[in-house]
């Protein structure tokens, strides 16, 4: 019973916020790693209009990294030990969710916030 409760609760490797809103680089870069069914980044913050480059490093299992609301904000489902880099434009402001689209993983806690500041 306790084991089931533990496994089904969202578990983040850290309460890690990546705030890129003060960065002046032309492309805002962030690396997200997963361990089990959790990303090590809980929140990413960028500015409206930013080009965002995400490198997703899969620490094990089959996972992806997806935001539904932005074109191109989706990796393939990759296997453990591999990585993929994607790039997209944060062309709408607000709070969104990045998540793993493998069935059951988002519900198991494999998600985080993606915040676009106007
Ligand atoms: Cu997953």
């Amino acid at each position: 019973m306790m084991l089931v409760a533990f496994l089904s609760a969202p578990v983040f490797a850290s309460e890690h916020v990546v705030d890129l809103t003060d960065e002046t680089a032309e492309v805002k870069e962030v690396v997200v790693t997963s361990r089990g069914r959790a990303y090590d980044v809980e929140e990413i913050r960028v500015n409206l209009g930013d080009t965002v480059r995400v490198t997703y490093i899969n620490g094990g299992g089959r996972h992806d990294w997806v935001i539904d609301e932005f074109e191109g904000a989706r990796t393939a489902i990759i296997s453990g030990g591999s990585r993929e880099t994607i790039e997209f434009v944060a062309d709408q402001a607000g709070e969104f969710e990045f998540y793993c689209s493998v069935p059951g993983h988002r519900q198991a806690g494999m998600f985080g916030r993606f915040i676009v500041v106007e």
Side-chain angles (χ1 to χ4, degrees), residues 36-37 39 62-64 100-102 105 110:
R37 292 183 183 182
Y39 298 115
R62 285 173 51 76
H63 307 286
D64 60 6
C100 175
S101 74
V102 173
H105 289 197
M110 201 166 187

Side-chain angles (χ1 to χ4, degrees), residues 28 45-53 67-73 87-96 114-118:
K28 306 288 181 79
R45 302 179 73 93
V46 301
N47 294 312
L48 181 63
D50 279 352
T51 297
V52 183
R53 183 181 296 152
I67 306 177
D68 288 330
E69 291 85 354
F70 299 96
E71 193 179 342
E87 214 171 275
F88 62 95
V89 177
D91 57 3
Q92 48 185 321
E95 185 170 330
F96 308 91
F114 184 79
I115 296 171
V116 182
V117 179
E118 195 159 3

Side-chain angles (χ1 to χ4, degrees), residues 15-29:
E15 300 287 302
H16 191 188
V17 175
V18 177
D19 187 348
L20 301 172
T21 55
D22 288 333
E23 279 203 15
T24 54
E26 214 168 296
V27 177
K28 306 288 181 79
E29 295 201 59

